[in-house]
Amino acid sequence: MTRASGLFVILAALAIAAPARAQDSQFGLRGLGTPGRWESVRARSTGGAFAPFDAFSPLIEAPLGDVRRVSASANGGESWRTLDFGTESASLRATRFPAFMVAGPISQRLVLAGGFSTYLDKSFGITTRDTIDIRGTPEPVTDAVTSDGAVADLRIALAARVHNRLQLGFGLHGLTGSTRVKALRHFDDSTTYRTSTATDEIAYHGLGGSASALLSLSADLRLAAWARSDKRLRADIRGRTVADDDLPISYGGGVQWRPGTQAAVAAAVAWRRWGAAGSGSNAHDTFNWSVGTELGSAASPVRFGVRGGQLAFGPGPKAPTEFGISGGLGKQFSGGRGRLDFGLERLQRKGPGLNERVWTFLVGLTVRP
Amino acid sequence: MLLLGLAACYEQPTAPGVCPDFCPGGQITVVDSVFTDVIQRDSAFSGYVEGFQGEALQVTDLPGVIDSRAIFRMNAMYTRVTNRVNDTTTYPITVDSAHLRINIVRRDTNATNLWVKLYRLPIDIDSTTTFAQLAPAFTDSIVDSVNLSDLLRRPKQFDTATIRIWGDTIQTDSAGHILEVGNVDSTLLLLFSLDTAKARFVVADSGKVAYGVRVSGDSLATIALGSVESDRGADIQWYFTFPDTAAVAKDSTAHRPAFFDSFVFNPPTPPLDSNLAVGGVPAARSLLRFAIPEILRDSADVVRATLVLIPVGPVPGIAADSFRVVARPIVTDLGAKSPLAINSPYTTSKIMHLNDADTVRIELTDLVRAWAQDTSAATALVLGQAPEAATYTQARFYSSRAPAFRPALHITFVRRYVFGTP
């Protein structure tokens, strides 16, 4: 199999790959969803600080110029989340498969990549109890609304080493996915009142584009900058458009410094204009930052990171905040042709009426056949 | 990684909803509405079941309201027998007595001083016989009578066989009446002991006899007798002798069940009018056609549907004679001859209490839900009485031709949930 045909097969497989499914945050319930993290396990273990410099993080395209041979990477994880509403609390668990990517050089200076990641997670399930008055009689009811699915970001990216110190990247993003939704009302008096069930499948479509640059100021110091613009996200039910929401412009940058052969430090910032995109009354512009380090040899590094910032959706005029610490390690095998990355992340999110605490265990696999 | 991908199918995503901040934007909205114009082209039809086809024979005496009497004719009896095997010579039988058994399948347990009276009737009674035609016989041909209230108070006779095998109890009086109370369903088997004067065995009539039953009492004088159709019809056991080979009288018996039974009552069931009729004799049914609103088909989920019927007036009678009004869907709409959906899970019913003019509400939830989902279904039902032609009672409800009191459908539904918006 040639390099090009191999890429084609993998990209075709991506087209039928199931989108990620998970429930990342209750704050996204009244918004478009919970924005995904465009980070590999390696980058996420550093709090996200290494994402602008990591070829296998779907955040930006320019680092793909570092890929010298066909490589593939997949990430997955499991999270345990505790919700504290003040009067109520709950514990949730989710398993997800949020990112996959394959990349390979198509010429000496050009690298082509494709893959998918989670753009908006839309899986959730909630139950509520209430008593309503029907025909003059109070009737206790239980409502359950569930959604299962996500909007995936299918990306085709091209990176070019235009100069020894400068790499540029461009990406075309197809936003697609679907959710199976169900709303159920169960009456305690099930002899008199039948359970009402409504189900549907919502299909999502959107487009976006991105550009990025990676500048090596010296052998030890790199700067990254990126920008991305996503168009409207259309939601269709049985061919009828039920929502057409603006998506944000995002941009950010980072710096990475290698003080030695076995140490790297990075910091990154990102802005996303969810509020300005008008994606609902409880959408907020967000600013996120992260700082992280990778220590040790390339064969078995240890990583640490810290992140902070805001969440895109939440009640009230101020955006909910997020703070997290993370760590992880990597291990190369087969003479560097494969690498396993493990990460553990602890997040705390705070907003009006809700505190979330999340433990996430991450695992990633990168192979270079 | 493969294992991780497979594990992606498992989630535990349900959390308590704290609304409105942490709930989806859509709301589950319940709407309760009375649709007054969905029932159209409703009609009543009569003649489905005649009195002689009913499962019971109503016997009631409520002066000034209803007088209902059971009538039955017993099967013919042989009049000659042979007394030797393979002998063609026959000898006349000589009847000396009989036991007539009737099955009381329903009664008002609060009835006081309830008398059951047996009358001899002409043997030519049939389905065309009227109350008026039998009035003379019911006046001057009394055969026997028994105070059922008194009999029920008498000590129970414990027959080892009936007690041990069936658990029934037996009560008797000095006149030879026997009352057997069934252990299974509490029905009463009442046996009259009849001599040759009470049970006239006329050879020229082939032993056919006909009887009528009336009741009287201080209050709540009503019973229902089992009929041939319910396999609980009257039965007569003849006791007779015939000469054996030595010319000595030899005893024998023979059962003869009722060949025909019915009941007549006064005043008779009135003719149909513009209202919806249910019950009576002959049995009337009402066909109700429904125009299901489009909103129920494509934008709502019915959680409760109730048919609302306003009676023209109370059904007079004794409370124990209350009956069920049954709503049965039809297979296809052929008017009066619309075939009923037999054993349909959507069949529902409601007890129609006598002397009560309250609005009658029949739950049709499952039927209306089925109609809302199946656009090819015949959206009509038939209201009937259960059992039919077994009582003098008939309910009348206002039809759609009475705008102020027309039947309606009270529907509680959940509006279609709006998915896709935050």
Side-chain angles (χ1 to χ4, degrees), chain B residues 171-231:
Chain B
Q171 290 150 298
T172 62
D173 63 9
S174 57
H177 300 112
I178 303 170
L179 185 67
E180 184 178 333
V181 183
N183 182 49
V184 176
D185 55 7
S186 296
T187 58
L188 307 180
L189 281 176
L190 180 60
L191 280 78
F192 293 90
S193 298
L194 307 176
D195 57 22
T196 53
K198 294 176 180 177
R200 295 175 182 168
F201 188 84
V202 179
V203 173
D205 294 336
S206 299
K208 286 182 282 190
V209 289
Y211 293 99
V213 175
R214 293 180 65 180
V215 291
S216 65
D218 294 344
S219 66
L220 308 174
T222 186
I223 62 173
L225 304 185
S227 70
V228 172
E229 283 66 26
S230 62
D231 236 9

Side-chain angles (χ1 to χ4, degrees), chain A residues 204-231:
Chain A
Y204 296 95
H205 307 281
L207 278 176
S210 59
S212 54
L214 190 61
L215 179 63
S216 300
L217 294 177
S218 68
D220 304 327
L221 189 63
R222 302 178 94 184
L223 297 177
W226 59 274
R228 172 170 174 167
S229 176
D230 295 304
K231 292 297 187 183

Side-chain angles (χ1 to χ4, degrees), chain B residues 16 27 75 108 122 143 149 157 213 243 265 274 354 366 372 406 414:
Chain B
Q27 286 191 328
N75 244 328
D108 193 323
V143 171
S149 303
Q157 311 288 314
V213 175
F265 55 93
S274 64
L354 300 196
D366 292 336
R406 62 182 300 165
V414 175

Side-chain angles (χ1 to χ4, degrees), chain A residues 21 23 30 125 127 135 194 196, chain B residues 8 11 15 17 20 23 303 306 366:
Chain A
R21 53 194 293 262
Q23 180 180 7
R30 289 302 296 266
T127 58
R135 303 189 182 188
R194 301 293 177 269
S196 168
Chain B
E11 291 202 7
C23 290
V303 294
T306 310
D366 292 336

Side-chain angles (χ1 to χ4, degrees), chain B residues 97-101 191 235-239 253-256:
Chain B
S97 61
H99 265 139
L100 177 70
R101 189 187 68 185
L191 280 78
D235 178 274
I236 192 167
Q237 183 169 23
W238 296 103
Y239 297 92
T253 66
H255 279 279
R256 282 298 176 267

Side-chain angles (χ1 to χ4, degrees), chain B residues 4 23 34-35 61 69 110 119 128 166 176-177 189 277 284 294 299 325 382 393 395 405 407:
Chain B
L4 196 61
C23 290
V34 178
F35 292 84
D61 181 27
R69 302 162 182 179
N110 292 321
Y119 292 82
T128 63
W166 297 291
H177 300 112
L189 281 176
E294 283 305 308
S299 306
V325 174
V382 168
T393 53
F405 305 107

